[in-house]
Amino acid sequence: MLPKLLTQIFGSRNDRLLKQYRRVVQQINALEPQFEGLSDEQLRAKTDEFKQRVAGGEKLDALLPEAFAVCREGGKRVLKMRHFDVQLIGGMVLHAGKIAEMRTGEGKTLMATLPVYLNALTGKGVHLVTVNDYLARRDAEEMGKLYNFLGLSVGINLPQMTREQKQAAYQSDVTYGTNNEYGFDYLRDNMVYETADRVQRGLAFAIVDEVDSILIDEARTPLIISGQADDQTDLYQAINKVAPLLKRQIGELDLRTGEGVIEPGDFTVDEKSHQIYLTEDGHENAERLLSQAGLLPEGASLYDAGNITLMHHLYASLRAHHVYHKDQHYVVQNGEVVIVDEFTGRLMTGRRWSDGLHQAVEAKEGVAIQSENQTLASITFQNYFRMYGKLAGMTGTADTEAYEFQEIYGLETVVIPPNRPTIRRDELDLVYKTSKEKFDAVLKDIRECHERGQPVLVGTTSIENSELISTLLNQAKLPHQVLNAKQHAKEAEIIAQAGRPGVITIATNMAGRGTDIVLGGNVEKQVQFIEANESLSAEEKASRIQQLRDEWRGLHEKVKAEGGLRIIATERHESRRIDNQLRGRSGRQGDPGSSRFYLSLDDPLMRIFAGERVRAIMDRLKMPEGEAIEAGIVSRSLESAQRKVEGRNFDIRKQLLEYDDVSNDQRKVIYQQRNDILEAQDVAAQINNLRQSALSDVVRGFVPAESLEEQWDLPGLERVLKDEWQIAVDLQGTVEKSDAITDEDILEKVLQAGEAIFADKLERVGLEQFTPFMRMVLLQSIDQHWREHLAALDYLRQGIHLRGYAQKNPKQEYKREAFELFSQLLDVVKMEVTRVLLNVRIQSQEEATQAAEAIEQRAESVSNVTYTHPNEDGSVSQDPAQDPALAAAAHVGRNDPCPCGSGKKYKHCHGKLS
């Protein structure tokens, strides 16, 4: 009661913030007459003046009223659009590093120009993040006119651009691009071997458009750069033949009563979590089928350590067949399986499911199976965007996820009121018993609207459903447009004309389309074509544009009279936000409009969460066919189901983040080390530290600290130093000659010997020439072992939940083991780099020339000799008699120089082949 009373007296936090921002709006409006009087040159000169003031130490907040007023005046002159007061408020929210929730059609793209202009004055660069390449290109071109007019440079960051083009884009004051491209650029920048190859120049300020889509929907999967791993194509195809032979169980066993299974089977499907579980009979059947297919040895168990991968592949194949459906989760295009984004309905070209799932779907669809990939670098969107100095976002629907934005990103959500009050009518859901009844009702509603001349937008949650409705409309001879992942290219044109009288548009998930549905159709595109037509005179252009606008005005009024845009949704999405985005397409800028959701008990969300209850009510009421329930209680129970799913999805993302935070800390250390190595003029100091540490570890293995002489193994230490590190040092002789010697003296002698050998190499080559080689050895070693470490973390994470059965906290266990693995990684890098640099053989120019000549002579003398022949068992061996060097090898010791003259030890050269 008390918080409610306080809110009534003082207003909510949102109200108080808006009140504060409105005071600044008054200051901006007061400056308008002053800036209207300036010429274009004087207005542009303001940018240079602001830049000097910022460089002089003036805070951006103090500059805000003037900068916003200049940007608004520029917008009026260049874009022929004047920022509304609510857009000024939105601009302040973004500048403050918060999320601005603004309804669809309120002008978020224009609003973003204000904080972008203000923050670009620092010269550190502003990144504007969009959901797709089309919007990045469109916004950069349209809003770029304003920035260029005000004296700022604009860049576009798109895939497939050259390094030079990307560097130019990032050097601009304002850079537009997609979330994926920014993230991949960051990862690629941390894989380069020259500082000149990096493209980004620091992460100062980012504004994320459709922030809920990017930071929430797409945050469930990390960004991964991968290279090809071992090819297991045959295994996927073999398992794909086994999976369809296993039978799905209908119903689930209730452990308390022992009832519930309607039809026994080999596996159960958990639709909520997209998982599959084998039953007891299923395990036996699977083992029998895999043995018959020759994949599992007779009598072996699927749970034997050696068969874990087989188990993994079987589960992937079962999920491909029973959880992931064509034209809903993916489409097959040009012989490839392309994922469909479940939130935006867009094709995710280039994205692949991990853990072998994508290959299993490829095997199911009979298309070419691409080899599995090995992770080279990876980061989650959460951790990438949290690296920005300041982050802000804008969307039409953020309020339902405000808690997550605050919890994960520390971003506050501010709801900005519309420029004109919304008068859209949201009707209660209609729930039918079967899908057929639902679609009949949908068709009837569409036909009525079409005959009246009211435009209709039909929303679906899958491509499959959009095509089903399209078929029904074709049968009813109703003209319509279909907008789904398959018609991605025509998207903007279809949306722009979706408000014309009587037009029917079917759309799959309307998030982030970035184009307004204007009642009466969008006339601006046609106006642009006329303005671009060089063959028309100025009078003709003006006359035609006027004619178009008059015609549009008539259509606009006609559609308004018929009730505006009608939204018909054919099922609810598991996220309330996506439903709100669909509703929000209607009623923009105070236009009339209406929306209604048509549901059936067969819809996934209804079936999983509320189906049985509602079906029981319908049966009790003896409702006739075609009759629907229309009740607030049903809509509310569905919303509570959606909240549960949203909560579950939040937990998935939070868990992903908690695990990734561990590798994120390690990633920061590795990337920091890489950058230090790249930027350092001289890496000799780092190499010396690594060498001392590596040799200390070797010595301590044979001469423990503070130990007695009897415990030392000096012959063993000498042998290892000679064989593996090329350090010849007479430790036994030293001990025999001295009266008193400690373990520290032994260590010091070895370190000095190592230093002397290294100094000799440096002297022969020169520090300047040797530094690039040392840098390359360091970077390659770090990169290789970091890749292996990422794979190890992946495997660790897949099985860590089993620690819960031992009453241990899986997250704590993961942190502990990941830390141990990371310590091992650092040790391995230290040892490997030192070993390479101590073993590397330096040749003088004369020696190198002689060696090259010797190789050429040998190549000529043996050019017609075949070195291999197959044995009876099909393997290949070397025949020593065919090579004099190998013939001589019978008398060569393993660690002696190879007789072939390569300069390598025999065991690393021809000794390895025999």
Side-chain angles (χ1 to χ4, degrees), residues 604-859:
L605 201 73
M606 284 293 289
R607 193 181 71 245
I608 295 168
F609 288 100
E612 292 308 314
R613 268 203 321 274
V614 180
R615 193 182 295 277
I617 295 169
M618 285 182 152
D619 290 343
R620 210 169 295 137
L621 296 172
K622 296 191 171 59
M623 290 179 66
E625 194 176 321
E627 195 85 7
I629 282 187
E630 180 180 4
I633 190 167
V634 176
S635 300
R636 284 195 294 279
S637 77
L638 264 175
E639 281 192 11
S640 86
Q642 287 173 308
R643 270 194 206 96
K644 282 179 198 163
V645 179
E646 284 165 10
R648 212 185 117 266
N649 288 341
F650 169 52
D651 289 341
I652 291 172
R653 289 188 291 268
K654 198 170 177 201
Q655 192 153 340
L656 169 78
L657 186 63
E658 283 171 347
Y659 280 111
D660 190 63
D661 277 344
V662 176
S663 53
N664 192 48
D665 294 338
Q666 298 176 358
R667 186 189 302 116
K668 281 179 182 168
V669 171
I670 288 289
Y671 285 178
Q672 187 57 51
Q673 279 194 353
R674 270 191 115 264
N675 287 332
D676 290 348
I677 293 164
L678 274 174
E679 288 161 14
Q681 293 296 313
D682 175 18
V683 291
Q686 284 166 297
I687 296 292
N688 287 342
N689 291 339
L690 291 178
R691 186 180 63 251
Q692 288 183 356
S693 180
L695 291 177
S696 298
D697 290 351
V698 173
V699 171
R700 288 307 178 201
F702 294 88
V703 181
E706 298 176 8
S707 57
L708 299 169
E709 202 174 309
E710 290 75 35
Q711 294 169 285
W712 299 352
D713 177 9
L714 295 179
L717 178 57
E718 282 181 15
R719 193 166 54 250
V720 165
L721 288 172
K722 177 82 178 71
D723 291 354
E724 291 184 23
W725 305 87
Q726 302 296 309
I727 298 174
V729 55
D730 182 13
L731 297 174
Q732 293 175 81
T734 307
V735 170
E736 283 164 12
K737 285 176 197 164
S738 62
D739 300 331
I741 193 165
T742 67
D743 58 278
E744 286 296 329
D745 297 332
I746 297 288
L747 174 61
E748 190 56 39
K749 191 160 179 63
V750 172
L751 292 179
Q752 283 172 357
E755 197 168 330
I757 287 170
F758 190 70
D760 177 55
K761 292 182 198 292
L762 270 183
E763 200 176 312
R764 292 179 70 180
V765 181
L767 182 60
E768 205 173 315
Q769 276 79 17
F770 206 49
T771 297
F773 175 70
M774 292 192 289
R775 182 179 286 125
M776 191 59 71
V777 169
L778 260 173
L779 291 176
Q780 284 184 344
S781 182
I782 288 173
D783 287 351
Q784 183 198 337
H785 293 294
W786 174 242
R787 286 199 291 271
E788 289 167 7
H789 178 69
L790 286 175
L793 287 183
D794 274 349
Y795 290 131
L796 175 64
R797 192 155 133 205
Q798 282 168 19
I800 201 76
H801 64 277
L802 297 171
R803 305 281 174 95
Y805 292 117
Q807 304 299 310
K808 291 178 177 174
N809 181 339
K811 281 176 203 150
Q812 292 302 329
E813 289 290 296
Y814 180 75
K815 280 180 183 171
R816 186 177 57 75
E817 295 225 2
F819 179 73
E820 285 174 16
L821 284 171
F822 191 64
S823 303
Q824 287 170 21
L825 173 141
L826 296 177
D827 283 345
V828 169
V829 168
K830 172 177 75 182
M831 289 294 194
E832 187 176 275
V833 169
T834 306
R835 188 178 282 117
V836 168
L837 292 176
L838 285 175
N839 279 289
V840 68
R841 185 159 173 258
I842 308 293
Q843 289 184 326
S844 67
Q845 189 61 47
E846 200 176 312
E847 286 173 323
T849 311
Q850 285 170 359
E853 285 169 4
I855 287 166
E856 277 175 32
Q857 286 167 4
R858 286 187 66 246

Side-chain angles (χ1 to χ4, degrees), residues 288-547:
R288 180 176 54 77
L289 290 166
L290 289 167
S291 293
Q292 286 170 5
L295 297 170
L296 192 68
E298 199 66 48
S301 164
L302 261 178
Y303 283 107
D304 289 348
N307 300 327
I308 290 293
T309 55
L310 207 56
M311 185 81 175
H312 173 76
H313 285 306
L314 180 63
Y315 271 124
S317 190
L318 285 169
R319 285 173 74 203
H321 280 273
H322 298 280
V323 178
Y324 288 82
H325 306 298
K326 188 177 174 181
D327 284 348
Q328 184 182 348
H329 299 101
Y330 64 90
V331 296
V332 177
Q333 224 178 47
N334 306 327
E336 279 186 33
V337 170
V338 184
I339 302 173
V340 173
D341 187 329
E342 63 173 307
F343 294 99
T344 63
R346 290 196 162 83
L347 291 185
M348 317 273 278
T349 315
R351 284 272 191 107
R352 292 176 67 77
W353 286 305
S354 56
D355 296 337
L357 175 61
H358 209 100
Q359 286 82 356
V361 174
E362 285 170 335
K364 166 188 151 186
E365 293 297 337
V367 300
I369 299 173
Q370 297 178 26
S371 10
E372 278 188 72
N373 290 329
Q374 177 193 6
T375 302
L376 307 180
S378 140
I379 193 168
T380 57
F381 281 130
Q382 290 104 319
N383 276 325
Y384 173 70
F385 282 109
R386 290 196 303 190
M387 287 192 293
Y388 277 90
K390 184 162 70 173
L391 181 65
M394 51 190 185
T395 177
T397 43
D399 207 30
T400 54
E401 315 288 351
Y403 173 72
E404 180 164 352
F405 283 126
Q406 187 67 56
E407 180 85 354
I408 304 276
Y409 302 97
L411 288 171
E412 186 179 4
T413 302
V414 181
V415 181
I416 294 161
N419 187 40
R420 295 188 186 139
T422 305
I423 56 169
R424 185 186 66 238
R425 199 173 73 255
D426 294 328
E427 298 166 11
L428 285 172
D429 301 358
L430 289 179
V431 184
Y432 291 86
K433 215 168 187 178
T434 64
S435 292
K436 185 188 178 303
E437 292 171 50
K438 173 180 83 172
F439 286 121
D440 287 345
V442 166
L443 206 59
K444 187 180 167 206
D445 195 344
I446 294 172
R447 184 182 277 110
E448 283 173 11
C449 293
H450 180 67
E451 285 167 358
R452 274 204 319 273
Q454 183 178 12
V456 184
L457 178 65
V458 186
T460 68
T461 58
S462 70
I463 296 173
E464 199 175 17
N465 275 353
S466 71
E467 290 180 348
L468 170 66
I469 293 169
S470 177
T471 308
L472 293 173
L473 289 174
N474 284 333
Q475 288 166 0
K477 297 196 167 45
L478 288 169
H480 61 278
Q481 294 272 22
V482 181
L483 176 64
N484 61 30
K486 292 182 176 178
Q487 278 81 24
H488 183 52
K490 296 190 295 185
E491 176 177 300
E493 299 163 42
I494 295 174
I495 286 291
Q497 304 312 327
R500 293 178 80 85
V503 168
I504 303 167
T505 311
I506 303 170
T508 308
N509 294 348
M510 288 299 301
R513 297 290 179 192
T515 308
D516 266 350
I517 298 179
V518 182
L519 299 189
N522 194 334
V523 78
E524 294 307 317
K525 274 273 177 280
Q526 291 150 297
V527 168
Q528 283 172 10
F529 284 132
I530 292 172
E531 284 177 343
N533 190 341
E534 298 294 330
S535 62
L536 297 175
S537 67
E539 291 80 34
E540 284 176 309
K541 282 183 185 177
S543 154
R544 288 201 185 180
I545 289 170
Q546 191 55 47
Q547 195 181 337

Side-chain angles (χ1 to χ4, degrees), residues 55-67:
E58 191 168 339
K59 292 274 186 289
L60 290 181
D61 290 352
L63 263 181
L64 187 144
E66 289 175 77

